[in-house]
Amino acid sequence: MATIPVIVKHQGKRYEVDLDPTSTGETFKYQLYSLTGVEPERQKILVKGGQLKDDTDLSTLKAKSGQTFMMMGTPSEAGGSSTFERPKEKIVFVEDMTEAEAAQAEGAIPAGLQNLGNTCYLNSTLQTLRSVPELQTELAKYSAPTAGPGTSAPDFSQFGLGGRGGNTDLTASLRDLYKEMSQTQEGYPPLVFLQALRTLFPQFAQRARTGQGFAQQDAEEAWSQIISQLRQKLKIKETKANGADTSTESAQEISFVDKYLAGRFEIKTECDEVAAKEAGEEAVTAEEVFLKLDCHINKDTNHLRDGISSALEEKIEKTSPVLDRQAVYTKTSRISRLPKYLTVHFVRFFWKREAKKKAKIMRKVTFPFELDVVEFCTEELRKQLVPVRDKVREIHKEEEDVTRARKRQKLAHKQEEDREKDRIAHPDPKPSTSSSDKKAEKKGEGDVEMTDAVYKTDAEYESERTASILAAKKELFALINPELAKDEGANKSGVYELRGVVTHQGASADSGHYTSYVKKQSALDAKTGKRKEEDGKWWWFNDDKVSEVDAEKIESLSGGGESHSALILLYRAIDLPTSEDLEG
């Protein structure tokens, strides 16, 4: 019996297939597999009465030349391969892992920190700082200076930590603490680090007013003191832009904090009084390093931008050398260098004289997941940042447009498949003979004959997306200012993404409770060496309790009452393409 030429529609494409009436449905499916790549077991071919089965005799379909069949289904990720292979890496089950191996496994819950008596302020600070991978790397290389004669070591033998307390170097203690935390999923007691902190800064050893234990402290003060110590102690070899060997004696050492966490201000101080200007008093300019941006909060502050803007332009009173008396000056700060990691401090606490304590400003102040600080920069820096920032925005918009178009196509494709399925399941008993005549009547001289829509497959979309991303990366890379490119620890776009939040619950700095939220970092891909796509989830560190939360939880930390409100935000510069990214 002669074969019958039929049409098979699949994902908007038409395939011409020779149907052999003497064969079965299984044979027909294998024919389509060779054309579409969809495995026979994943195919759904719609015929009159339902779906085509493997044992169906094709002669019973009574197919006619040119008849159209609808096929649904997509290829499996394995591409239909049924070959079994031995795993390249030995599979290790969680129950067979050591505690350290389990803690470092992909998806493992990170270690919490035990509260040693009003130490939640410290725990939340340490967990947020731990989210900086460059800090982890450099701490691992840190060697503490040899202790001098007469150095006494605190005794922690009662806690089972004998022998670990001989070093009061805060940087070394932080290194050891993070190493211990990386090897467990349990709540770890930061005893050695706490002792080192209290030895260096006795304010953190203050006793509670009740005389019972230690007093609660301000997390921002702990953050600032730890950063100041790291700035003094943790030095790294500065990478030279020309690729010179940094192991030589001529290689310059730079503070880790100065490289990754410190920015610079250009400050202009000008007298407000006309008399001073007329007498020849000129504005004074200066440069100043900053380790955090303050967000001042007043009755007009609703968003983070408002508070930062307020803090960068303030009125001060000082003696005018020209007027020889006190005068009001405007101090304006503009950013001339943006660090890779930007710390923002909500100035929520103030000294309440009548209560003799640090009271809390409860006002709600919203903050973004993505922060653009270009407007706060000097004119020179803005010129370097704006082209990159604008290109990043353009790419984001294009990605959103492509995603929406893809969703629309999938919906249209599904609707067409549903209509075709319904047509086959419920054929019209009276075939219309006038349909083509009606079309011909309606079709005028300028009409265009409708054709079947062609839908792209997921593989085609992914291929186009990959090519588009590579092209966009090349354009973006070309826009990065050469001078900024030499500064490895700087932000080159002016745009940041939120990575960590320290929160406070309560009405004053001397009471309440601190916790922290850290965005989950994706695991490294063993093949590419790059990090996989993030899932958008966050870790909530509540002392030794660690749980996973959605991004919506972060949006609720804007304040407005005694509930948890953001006190410190840690932002990281958005990722930009490197020369290595473009090689692929």
Side-chain angles (χ1 to χ4, degrees), residues 181-194:
M181 290 174 67
S182 71
Q183 297 175 350
T184 184
Q185 291 180 279
E186 303 297 324
Y188 189 81
L191 287 163
V192 177
F193 184 85
L194 181 61

Side-chain angles (χ1 to χ4, degrees), residues 563-576:
S563 60
H564 280 287
S565 54
L567 180 69
I568 298 172
L569 304 177
L570 181 63
Y571 282 97
R572 185 183 72 190
I574 60 169
D575 291 330
L576 294 177

